[in-house]
Amino acid sequence: QVQLVESGGGSVQAGGSLRLSCAASGYTSGYIYARYCIAWFRQAPGKEREWVASTGGGYTYYTDSVQGRFTISQDVFKLYLQLNSLQPEDTAMYYCAASPASRCFPSPSARSFGYWGQGTQVTISS
C-alpha cells in the first residue's frame, strides 16, 4: 500500500513560484519512480480534476498550459513539482497520485490512478 503525502502549497502573487513535494510513506522516491507512474493533478472549485504532469519509466509529460513553467524533479525521498510564473488560473488543490506501471503516458485519466495524497492548496492572487 503506497501512501502519498503532499506539501509545499501556499498563497503567492502572480508571477511567483512554489515547490510542491510528494513523499511516498515507507519508500524512497527511486523505488517508487522505478515501479510507478507518478502524476500531479489539480482541481479548482467547481471544476473537474485536471491532469498537470506525470513521470515514470524515463518519460515525463506536462499539460500544455504548464509546459515551460512547471518542472518535475526528485531526490532520494521525494518527488517535486516546481511551479514558476504562477497565474491566478493555477489556483487549485494539487494532488500527487501513483499507478503501478513501467512508464507513464500523456494525458492520463484520474481513474487510472489508485493511490492519492490528501492534496495541497495553491492560491495565486493577481
Side-chain angles (χ1 to χ4, degrees), residues 61-81:
Y61 301 98
Y62 302 93
T63 192
D64 287 347
S65 64
V66 309
Q67 183 76 45
R69 299 189 300 123
F70 293 7
T71 304
I72 287 179
S73 64
Q74 66 181 95
D75 63 20
V76 175
F77 293 105
K78 293 185 178 181
L79 291 157
Y80 301 95
L81 184 66

Side-chain angles (χ1 to χ4, degrees), residues 8-66:
S11 298
V12 299
Q13 291 188 328
S17 298
L18 287 169
R19 189 174 76 158
L20 308 184
S21 302
C22 175
S25 179
Y27 300 95
T28 65
S29 62
Y31 178 94
I32 293 295
Y33 186 80
R35 294 164 176 80
Y36 290 80
C37 172
I38 304 297
W40 288 92
F41 287 80
R42 65 186 179 185
Q43 188 166 19
K47 295 188 176 182
E48 293 187 354
R49 192 164 294 192
E50 172 192 26
W51 170 72
V52 175
S54 49
T55 187
Y59 296 86
T60 299
Y61 301 98
Y62 302 93
T63 192
D64 287 347
S65 64
V66 309

